[in-house]
Amino acid sequence: MPIKLPSDLPAYDVLSREGVMVMAEEQAARQDIRPLRIGLLNLMPKKIQTENQFARLIGATPLQIELSLIRMSEHRTKNTAADHMETFYRPFSEVAETGEKFDGLIITGAPIEHLPFPDVTYWKELEQVFDWTQTNVHSTFGVCWGGMAMINYFHKVPKHDLPHKAFGCVRHQNLMPASPYLRGFSDDMVIPVSRWTELRREEIEAAGLTILIDSYDTGPCLVEDPAHRALYIFNHFEYDSGTLKEEYDRDVAAGTPINVPANYYPDDDPNMTPLNRWRSHAHLLYGNWINEIYQSTPFDLAHIGQG
């Protein structure tokens, strides 16, 4: 939670420039509290695993979070029981039709990196989702393929195929330590990476966007898009300790050529139990995102998207 200081106290400006969470007394006095409405547009095949991962992160703050699960209207998953989908998920068409508004929306990744965006079966509806976020969502977080799709739609930044899979726990650099989204972050950190495509620094910067977290080895990771009230992350802070192991074991069992995920197992030995070295930064990032929403979203949901 923020520290409350008089806005004319010198420490207010000093701490603000350093990225410390501060709130003026007059702002605190008029701030009401209500549950934050966060939507999860889940494009991953293992819906329940993904729900758990994101709910764990956004539910770790002192604030009340109301989580709504959303799916693409016509796409049917083969990996999650139909009764689970029927009970807990609503199609985007229904959400849009009712005019609902959300303080935040997470758009997950999807295992379809090899496809050009227009070839994705639900691409047309996803374009509608992106447009809808500009009027019905206060802040959107695009994750992995979801982030790549958003940055492509809004800024025409392309994804590029990699000669081999970027796979493992990769060291990243904090480029913007004063960013409110990176409060409490170390100068560098380890983040799980699992993708066959990349986005390039020069093309992101040419679009006028700010890279917050970067890697010498796997390129940009976290990008801020203030004009669209969005963050794009291309790697996987939300992964559980064993997620990379599950992906590796799956590919080995299927006979798919795959490298041992780098810097994941002790001594890179897949017979060893992997160590989670990203959990604390994952909680920081999503906690900071939730806090930024809390500080800036209108109390009246009807005012979301009205400037």
Side-chain angles (χ1 to χ4, degrees), residues 62-76:
L63 303 174
Q64 292 185 43
I65 304 293
E66 178 186 314
L67 182 64
S68 297
L69 301 177
I70 306 169
R71 63 171 173 83
M72 304 310 295
S73 302
E74 300 302 325
H75 183 73
R76 293 293 183 267

Side-chain angles (χ1 to χ4, degrees), residues 147-212:
M148 293 180 183
M150 287 188 72
I151 200 173
N152 178 265
Y153 180 72
F154 286 127
H155 298 282
K156 309 303 180 188
V157 176
K159 59 183 173 71
H160 301 274
D161 292 337
L162 292 169
H164 53 81
K165 188 176 186 178
F167 192 43
C169 293
V170 179
R171 189 157 293 282
H172 288 69
Q173 291 72 49
N174 178 354
L175 301 186
M176 296 288 173
S179 166
Y181 298 108
L182 300 183
R183 289 189 184 98
F185 267 62
S186 305
D187 292 335
D188 67 1
M189 70 226 68
V190 168
I191 307 176
V193 179
S194 178
R195 49 182 165 82
W196 288 94
T197 53
E198 67 174 358
L199 277 78
R200 295 176 180 167
R201 297 181 188 92
E202 61 272 17
E203 292 173 337
I204 292 174
E205 292 171 343
L209 301 176
T210 301
I211 301 171
L212 304 182

Side-chain angles (χ1 to χ4, degrees), residues 37-56:
R37 297 200 72 212
I38 306 296
L40 177 65
L41 180 60
N42 194 347
L43 306 177
M44 291 296 286
K46 294 184 176 180
K47 305 291 186 190
I48 297 174
Q49 180 186 54
T50 304
E51 295 159 20
N52 292 339
Q53 291 171 346
F54 284 106
R56 181 180 297 116

